[in-house]
Amino acid sequence: MPNSVDANYRFIAAYQEVNARIVQRQQALALYVTLTVSLLAALVALGTSTKAATAPVEWLVLGFPVSSLTLALLNYTSERAISNLRTFLSTLERLNNAHETLPSYNTDPRWATGANKARRFRDLATLLLAIAGNVIGFGAAWQIYPQRLAEFKVFLVIGVALALTSVFILLATRRWSYEPSPA
């Protein structure tokens, strides 16, 4: 086939995509921190305003769990894409049984397992940030606007349900990590 793309180019392209997905995961984490801090600042600023008693903070409080749920879904998307790409890379590493004579990062379980273990710390950091962001957000809102949140409890219940959903997704992320398949 004169028009086919060499396996090396496919390998390079796939690794560039893996790196792009890793960068996206980091950007999602930075976006989450920015949104959480901004929401917290808005809660505090509204609390010192003259309209604090009538400010619709119940809607603002939903921003904390929606942000963490968005983070969890973006994390899931990146994890699935990275796993799929690494499976593709492993297939390329096995062409002509090259994995038997060359080190193969995506095929040899020693390398893949080590990489997954190292990434668990990032997953743990993401989980801790999501939990802390929600607890701090709900706690600050409850301290600053107890009457308003007591009046609109349904928003708090929905918010806690969304926050717990995001925590569940972040806890389950490990299940979707790449694992090399037997040769």
Side-chain angles (χ1 to χ4, degrees), residues 53-173:
T54 60
V57 295
E58 60 277 2
W59 289 102
L60 192 57
V61 167
L62 287 178
F64 292 99
V66 167
S67 294
S68 66
L69 185 57
T70 301
L71 173 65
L73 294 173
L74 290 172
N75 203 46
Y76 167 80
T77 302
S78 294
E79 190 67 36
R80 293 303 303 228
I82 290 168
S83 292
N84 188 43
L85 287 162
R86 289 189 66 197
T87 300
F88 176 75
L89 289 165
S90 177
T91 301
L92 291 175
E93 287 174 354
R94 291 179 179 166
L95 287 177
N96 299 322
N97 295 320
H99 67 290
E100 294 175 1
T101 57
L102 295 171
S104 300
Y105 184 78
N106 297 291
T107 302
D108 188 336
R110 292 177 299 168
W111 301 107
T113 303
N116 285 346
K117 285 180 182 177
R119 287 186 32 231
R120 291 304 141 236
F121 286 102
R122 190 228 175 257
D123 293 340
L124 180 60
T126 302
L127 177 65
L128 290 174
L129 279 171
I131 291 170
N134 280 294
V135 168
I136 291 168
F138 289 139
W142 189 258
Q143 284 295 318
I144 299 170
Y145 309 97
Q147 297 86 6
R148 188 79 184 176
L149 291 180
E151 185 179 340
F152 296 98
K153 287 182 185 171
V154 69
F155 286 90
L156 199 55
V157 170
I158 291 169
V160 169
L162 291 172
L164 290 174
T165 301
S166 70
V167 167
F168 172 75
I169 292 170
L170 289 169
L171 282 170
T173 297

